[in-house]
Amino acid sequence: VSTQSTWAGQAATVEKHGPLPTAELVGLIKKASQNSKYTAKGTSTASQAPAKRQKTTQVVDPNALNKRIADIIASKPVMLFMKGSPGNERCGFSRTIVEILKQQNVSNYGTFDILEDWDVRQGIKTYSNWKTFPQLYINNKLIGGLDVVKELIEEEEFQELLPESAAS
């Protein structure tokens, strides 16, 4: 029994037990993986996962980026820079901090998905001098990440930092 397959524009016949030499098969797979237009026969590009955001290749003005970050932080009294969004968290730390905010009755807060904007993702690390995510800001001030928030709650200091408008 043989099957006709096409990878990266090259046809190959593969029998059930595969008379195709391993080196040739590996070569075809490599060519297919390098072809950005490759789709398996019978599938459409609509069913494929969306492409990840590409890193910027443009030079970004650091002053403009810092202003943009400051504006994002100032847009809400409580602002969370995270991976994903509430209900669609893309990492465990972000999921945990969203749960903690819910447990602390913080419902009026803004979020920014740092996976959607490479410039902000990299720029905020310098802006805040904090290299990891999530990052929580209250009244335009960096509070810290998940560990810091947990510590503040344990020491019963977290609620004191929150503006009244954070609870609804």
Side-chain angles (χ1 to χ4, degrees), residues 46-95:
S47 66
Q48 294 179 345
K52 291 185 177 182
R53 178 167 179 332
Q54 296 297 315
K55 297 177 183 177
T56 184
T57 56
Q58 297 177 335
V59 176
V60 176
D61 176 16
N63 293 327
L65 181 58
N66 283 342
K67 181 178 180 343
R68 182 169 173 231
I69 291 169
D71 290 346
I72 294 167
I73 292 168
S75 68
K76 285 282 194 171
V78 178
M79 177 59 68
L80 178 64
F81 288 81
M82 62 183 287
K83 294 179 180 178
S85 60
N88 190 28
E89 300 87 358
R90 306 254 317 260
C91 86
F93 297 110
S94 292
R95 184 174 302 109

Side-chain angles (χ1 to χ4, degrees), residues 113-161:
D113 182 354
I114 54 98
L115 297 176
E116 294 297 318
D117 191 313
W118 180 260
D119 296 333
V120 171
R121 180 180 184 171
Q122 296 307 313
I124 198 165
K125 292 176 184 180
T126 303
Y127 179 92
S128 64
N129 197 26
W130 196 271
K131 306 296 181 207
T132 60
F133 297 97
Q135 292 183 14
L136 183 67
Y137 290 77
I138 298 177
N139 293 324
N140 298 323
K141 180 182 174 210
L142 174 66
I143 301 306
L146 179 59
D147 290 342
V148 173
V149 171
K150 284 180 174 181
E151 186 177 314
L152 288 168
I153 291 169
E154 188 177 300
E155 294 174 6
E156 298 181 4
E157 296 175 5
F158 184 73
Q159 288 293 324
E160 296 170 15
L161 298 173

